Amino acid sequence: MNIRYAFVSAIAILLGAVLMFLPEKQLKIEKNPVDLLLAINDESRWISTDELAHSIVEKDPYFLLIDVRSEDEYQTFSLPGSLHIPLDSIQSPNYLPYLQQEGLRKIFYSNTSAKATQAWVLSKRRNLSNIYVLEGGVNRWVETILNPVKPASTAPQEEFDLYSFRVAASQYFGNSAEETVESEAPKKPMIQVSRKKKAAQGGC
Amino acid sequence: MGPLVTQDIIGGNWNFVLAFILGLFFGGVLEQAGFSSSRKLAGVFYGYDFVVLRVFFTAAITAMVGLLFFHYFEWIDLSLVYVNPTFWPSALTGGAIMGLGFIVGGFCPGTSVCAASIGKIDAMVFLVGIFIGISLFGFTYDWWVDFVFAGDLGRIKVYDSLGMRQGSFAFMLIAVALIAFYATRWIEKRVKKVEY
């Protein structure tokens, strides 16, 4: 037997034996406090209701809406296509696979920004990335997207553009805004089809 | 500290650059080990050459021992390392197809690229076959999708399924590897040499 092979085998066995007697070790996967504080002060976690409406209308496949409110609130009203993870179980390992999907933007929302921000901080602390908070939550959604307010007549053009987007979005989400843009359904033109008269039948 | 990519210590684009460089080295090592010869690769199925088994088993236990010690020294957090979820029906079927292709074609996907790059014609034909297979699967994906994701066992690990400690399983695997190395040497000596 080759002496080199025997030597390498002995090292392998030794390392294996050490591994066998090493105690199990669970590393902390928490973000360090300084980074967490910097992340909390960073404003880039906010997603506005308009951005969200855009994403939904354009059928953007790369985001996941997460409702962190209670079960009752979720049943009463929720944003289209949202997943329900109550705030008290956001740390549960059952939901971890949803939050760990790297490619998806995970957007937390609650009635205001408060609970969603808590969920965001808890998740950030666990080093989850690509997570956001819906600014103003469901309340802002209802105010801006479902019931948009017409800007004053002196407002700049951008506000009118935004308003018309919101009216359209409101219609998209099934809530007709009060001032809907009048558009009559185009009448279908009647096409007279002239059928060839069949030749007189009968005879022989 | 690690894993570096998951924690954004290495950014998303550098990830690809590093993957490219590591891939070059991987190809170089495969070539060095003689894996661009289909006769050598197929030898493992006929019993005249077990280098494939030894090289890959060595790579596996080296990586395993390294990762476990790195985890212990807090250089890498194994809970952040991605583990593929197991879908057993598709894993079994895929394994059978892969094994059959390995015996018939004499290459596995990585080694075929390696051999094609040094000008082996059979490897180039093999690569064309791979791309035809991938395209067929891609275009008929809707037919298979239910089967592909059937039988989800989640991110299971062997030692959890066996109810063993991680370290004990590592030791056992090293022992199995060493026994396999010596056993295959013994077999090689007794099987008729094939010149290639």
Side-chain angles (χ1 to χ4, degrees), chain A residues 1 5 9 20 22 25 29, chain B residues 71-72 77 165 182 185:
Chain A
M1 191 166 66
Y5 287 145
S9 306
M20 196 159 73
L22 279 183
K25 190 162 187 175
I29 53 163
Chain B
H71 178 73
Y72 191 74
D77 186 347
R165 285 185 62 234
Y182 286 105
R185 289 240 153 219

Side-chain angles (χ1 to χ4, degrees), chain A residues 93-94 97 100, chain B residues 81-91 148-158 160-161:
Chain A
N94 295 340
Q100 274 177 333
Chain B
V81 173
Y82 181 73
V83 177
N84 270 321
T86 303
F87 304 96
W88 68 265
S90 47
V148 169
F149 293 107
D152 185 5
L153 301 179
R155 298 192 171 149
I156 51 167
K157 291 168 184 166
V158 182
D160 284 335
S161 312

Side-chain angles (χ1 to χ4, degrees), chain B residues 21-163:
Chain B
I21 295 168
L22 286 177
L24 288 182
F25 278 107
F26 180 63
V29 171
L30 285 182
E31 168 61 24
Q32 284 291 308
F35 285 2
S36 41
S37 158
S38 53
R39 292 196 184 99
K40 193 177 195 73
L41 290 168
V44 74
F45 298 108
Y46 300 100
Y48 60 82
D49 195 325
F50 285 97
V51 169
V52 178
L53 185 141
R54 285 198 290 268
V55 167
F56 279 111
F57 218 157
T58 309
I61 60 171
T62 309
M64 177 190 73
V65 169
L67 282 174
L68 289 178
F69 273 105
F70 277 29
H71 178 73
Y72 191 74
F73 297 145
E74 302 191 4
W75 292 346
I76 192 166
D77 186 347
L78 278 186
S79 62
L80 294 178
V81 173
Y82 181 73
V83 177
N84 270 321
T86 303
F87 304 96
W88 68 265
S90 47
L92 282 182
T93 318
I97 294 173
M98 157 93 192
L100 190 67
F102 200 161
I103 301 177
V104 174
F107 290 110
C108 59
T111 52
S112 70
V113 179
C114 194
S117 69
I118 62 161
K120 294 267 172 80
I121 293 166
D122 57 342
M124 292 172 193
V125 175
F126 191 93
L127 269 182
V128 172
I130 287 182
F131 281 107
I132 292 174
I134 291 173
S135 310
L136 275 181
F137 179 75
F139 286 125
T140 56
Y141 181 70
D142 291 342
W143 303 355
W144 315 112
V145 66
D146 289 336
F147 177 72
V148 169
F149 293 107
D152 185 5
L153 301 179
R155 298 192 171 149
I156 51 167
K157 291 168 184 166
V158 182
Y159 56 85
D160 284 335
S161 312
L162 294 176

Side-chain angles (χ1 to χ4, degrees), chain A residues 33-49:
Chain A
V34 178
D35 287 349
L36 184 63
L37 204 63
L38 287 174
I40 289 172
N41 285 329
D42 188 0
E43 295 289 307
S44 64
R45 67 170 176 277
W46 299 112
I47 292 240
S48 73
T49 47

